């Protein structure tokens, strides 16, 4: 869905998750988020997540909700979608590397990753025992790297026009003729 404010009843997959007696996971960093790459006891502001462990999250099929946009847009979406946030289990991970996307965009902080990179990392934590999760991670990050490399390659080249307007070459010839005449006769 496109927009800035969302409610659970607008999202069919979220409703399906509720119907199956589960809460979707919302990937966004915060003090009340479960950290996916740290097993063991964690302190949360949210009492509901105190009893949930990473192992429990890994044992079930999960619906992972991703907020896609710039960091400022993502924060705005969360602020304008309190009902969705309240009905999801917030999860996060500790980013130990810089974003592939850094060569094209400046992120607000070094640990900030693109949505695609976050999705790949979250899948690798939530489905760490699944071989398909590792392949998905490789494909997602490989696609991102390819896109970034292609953008860099294209921006480093001087763009050539795909077509020239009729008369452009004639104008350039006449312009040069005028300059030569001016140099010769305006002395």
């Amino acid at each position: 869905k496109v927009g800035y404010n969302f409610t659970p009843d607008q999202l069919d997959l979220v409703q399906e998750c509720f119907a199956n007696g589960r809460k979707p996971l919302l990937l966004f960093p915060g003090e009340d988020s479960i950290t996916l790459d740290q097993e063991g006891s964690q302190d949360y502001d949210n009492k509901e997540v105190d009893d949930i462990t990473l192992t429990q999250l890994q044992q079930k099929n999960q619906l992972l909700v991703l907020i896609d946009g710039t960091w400022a847009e993502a924060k705005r979406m969360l602020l304008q979608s309190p009902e969705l946030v309240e009905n999801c289990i917030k999860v996060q991970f500790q980013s130990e590397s810089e974003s592939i996307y850094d060569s094209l965009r400046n992120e607000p902080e070094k640990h900030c990753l693109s949505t695609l990179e976050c999705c790949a990392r979250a899948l690798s934590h939530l489905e760490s025992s699944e071989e398909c999760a590792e392949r998905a991670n490789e494909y997602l990050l490989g696609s991102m790297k390819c896109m970034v490399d292609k953008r860099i390659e294209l921006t480093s080249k001087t763009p050539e026009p795909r077509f020239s307007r009729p008369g452009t070459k004639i104008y350039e010839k006449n312009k040069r003729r005028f300059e030569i005449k001016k140099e010769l006769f305006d002395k």
Side-chain angles (χ1 to χ4, degrees):
K1 181 167 169 17
V2 177
Y4 284 100
N5 54 345
F6 304 98
T7 59
D9 58 324
Q10 294 173 316
L11 306 168
D12 294 338
L13 289 174
V14 171
Q15 288 300 311
E16 187 178 315
C17 194
F18 291 153
N20 291 329
R22 295 180 290 129
K23 282 184 124 180
L25 305 180
L26 175 64
L27 182 61
F28 200 82
E31 291 179 8
D32 57 344
S33 296
I34 297 173
T35 303
L36 296 177
D37 49 3
Q38 291 180 350
E39 186 57 67
S41 65
Q42 300 176 44
D43 293 328
Y44 302 107
D45 292 339
N46 186 344
K47 300 296 181 217
E48 188 176 331
V49 299
D50 280 340
D51 299 330
I52 300 172
T53 65
L54 177 58
T55 307
Q56 290 171 322
L57 293 177
Q58 290 172 332
Q59 292 174 348
K60 301 177 187 175
N61 287 336
Q62 299 290 346
L63 172 63
L64 182 63
V65 178
L66 301 171
I67 306 295
D68 187 31
T70 65
W71 280 95
E73 289 172 335
K75 288 176 186 173
R76 178 180 168 192
M77 284 183 232
L78 287 183
L79 290 173
Q80 292 185 359
S81 306
E83 190 179 343
L84 178 64
V85 174
E86 289 169 14
N87 286 289
C88 292
I89 299 170
K90 286 177 63 178
V91 295
Q92 67 181 356
F93 54 82
Q94 301 297 321
S95 177
E96 65 272 345
S97 61
E98 291 182 17
S99 174
I100 295 169
Y101 211 40
D102 277 349
S103 52
L104 294 178
R105 273 204 182 144
N106 292 330
E107 299 296 346
E109 296 180 35
K110 282 226 181 268
H111 68 272
C112 295
L113 302 176
S114 69
T115 306
L116 190 81
E117 291 170 301
C118 289
C119 179
R121 184 81 52 87
L123 285 175
S124 68
H125 290 303
L126 289 170
E127 300 190 11
S128 58
S129 63
E130 300 291 327
E131 184 182 318
C132 62
E134 185 59 37
R135 282 197 321 267
N137 190 10
E138 289 172 18
Y139 287 128
L140 289 170
L141 294 180
S143 298
M144 181 75 169
K145 180 87 173 105
C146 181
M147 188 267 310
V148 167
D149 290 345
K150 194 66 168 169
R151 277 285 290 283
I152 290 171
E153 178 186 325
L154 291 173
T155 55
S156 65
K157 290 182 180 178
T158 306
E160 294 182 23
R162 294 190 310 174
F163 66 91
S164 59
R165 293 185 177 163
T168 303
K169 290 181 183 177
I170 295 170
Y171 170 77
E172 292 298 323
K173 276 185 185 177
N174 289 337
K175 181 179 173 187
R176 182 65 184 137
R177 282 185 191 149
F178 178 74
E179 289 171 354
I180 292 170
K181 280 182 184 180
K182 188 174 183 178
E183 285 176 18
L184 292 174
F185 300 113
D186 286 348
K187 289 185 181 183

